[in-house]
Amino acid sequence: MLEEFGDQLLDIVLIICFIAMTISIFLLVIRAFRGPSNADRAVAIDTMGINMMAITGLASIQLVTDKLNDVVLLIGILLFIGTIAIAKFIEKGVIIDQNHH
Amino acid sequence: MNQPNDLILRTTTQLIAFLLLGFSVYLFFAGHNAPGGGFIGGLTTAAAFILMYMTYGYEKIKKILPINFRLIAVVGLLITLLSGIGAIAFGEAFLSQTSDYFNFPILGEKHLATAMIFDLGVYLVVVGITLTIILSIATDSDDDSNEDVGV
């Protein structure tokens, strides 16, 4: 009886979490389009990536599989590189500098 | 332009670039039955190289990695083509793949597939093409003094 209650609770919590993540990504898309400065857009895109990692983790809980753990790690690494590229573009104007002054 | 203080970026790049290269090899060998394969492994390797280019600049990494990435893309295409032609040599259709289980002394029974050769070609093509595109955009310049910088 307790296990049945646990399964139902997990399903309901997963659905609530998916909906919350979707609303969060929707609001972040609005911020990425309307952001007054480029730094706001950079933060919005970075946070969208974190939400993507969260959704992948929730999907792996719902599908009861561990195949998606690599995907979470890969999204995190590529997000890190993208954030560094945007930060360097905002600060220096070039991403790969050709010669040191 | 003053030199920015990027000590944290340089220190983390030393760690994360090697983590990325190891993870790309893992992804390359995890293919077929799990998330992974030649394409995503190649993209991860390219991401590691681009991280090093972003941190240390074009000139320094050009000295450390004197690789012609266009040549790598062509060699990868050649490996892919030869893995397809190899199937014709055994009387099968073009690009037929097979696999079998082999016993190794230390590793035990392993599943070896000829699709791995095809994947190796895809891996090299993805690394070569990604880095060629990104570096030729990054080193694009108006003045003629940089003409020999082309990847």
Side-chain angles (χ1 to χ4, degrees):
Chain A
M1 188 251 175
L2 199 61
E3 283 187 10
E4 199 175 327
F5 174 73
D7 285 346
Q8 285 176 355
L9 186 68
L10 188 61
D11 283 344
I12 294 168
V13 168
L14 275 174
I15 289 170
I16 292 172
C17 288
F18 273 122
I19 291 171
M21 286 295 156
T22 314
I23 294 170
S24 170
I25 286 184
F26 183 70
L27 294 175
L28 285 166
V29 167
I30 295 175
R31 172 58 69 200
F33 272 111
R34 296 187 50 182
S37 69
N38 278 337
D40 291 323
R41 295 192 175 94
V43 172
I45 289 170
D46 192 41
T47 320
M48 273 161 72
I50 293 171
N51 280 336
M52 277 165 61
M53 288 164 69
I55 283 183
T56 317
L58 288 172
S60 81
I61 293 174
Q62 194 181 30
L63 299 173
V64 198
T65 175
D66 58 355
K67 301 272 186 199
L68 293 176
N69 295 355
D70 295 344
V71 181
V72 177
L73 182 58
L74 195 67
I75 293 175
I77 290 170
L78 294 180
L79 191 68
F80 169 73
I81 292 172
T83 307
I84 285 178
I86 294 175
K88 196 166 179 189
F89 180 73
I90 289 174
E91 178 156 332
K92 291 186 75 176
V94 290
I95 292 174
I96 297 175
D97 35 18
Q98 292 186 35
N99 37 16
H100 287 281
H101 297 290
Chain B
M1 182 186 290
N2 57 340
Q3 189 71 24
N5 182 11
D6 52 358
L7 177 69
I8 295 174
L9 179 61
R10 282 166 190 272
T11 312
T12 50
T13 299
Q14 290 174 1
L15 179 66
I16 288 175
F18 283 99
L19 260 177
L20 264 176
L21 288 173
F23 187 54
S24 77
V25 173
Y26 163 73
L27 277 177
F28 174 63
F29 284 111
H32 310 312
N33 298 327
F39 188 84
I40 191 66
L43 272 184
T44 317
T45 310
F49 286 164
I50 288 162
L51 181 64
M52 294 197 300
Y53 271 111
M54 282 196 303
T55 307
Y56 296 108
Y58 182 81
E59 304 289 337
K60 276 188 184 172
I61 302 296
K62 188 75 182 169
K63 273 184 208 158
I64 296 169
L65 291 171
I67 303 170
N68 188 350
F69 290 110
R70 278 181 301 191
L71 191 69
I72 285 187
V74 174
V75 168
L77 265 182
L78 199 66
I79 289 174
T80 311
L81 183 67
L82 287 178
S83 82
I85 291 176
I88 297 179
F90 288 99
E92 299 286 331
F94 182 60
L95 282 176
S96 296
Q97 307 290 343
T98 181
S99 67
D100 206 352
Y101 290 89
F102 293 97
N103 267 313
F104 287 104
I106 298 169
L107 299 169
E109 188 169 286
K110 288 288 170 192
H111 183 212
L112 292 186
T114 56
M116 187 58 81
I117 303 169
F118 183 80
D119 250 6
L120 180 67
V122 173
Y123 178 91
L124 293 177
V125 168
V126 170
V127 170
I129 299 244
T130 311
L131 282 166
T132 304
I133 291 172
I134 289 178
L135 290 182
S136 51
I137 291 172
T139 58
D140 190 24
S141 169
D142 284 336
D143 50 331
D144 297 332
S145 62
N146 285 328
E147 245 180 13
D148 57 340
V149 173
V151 188

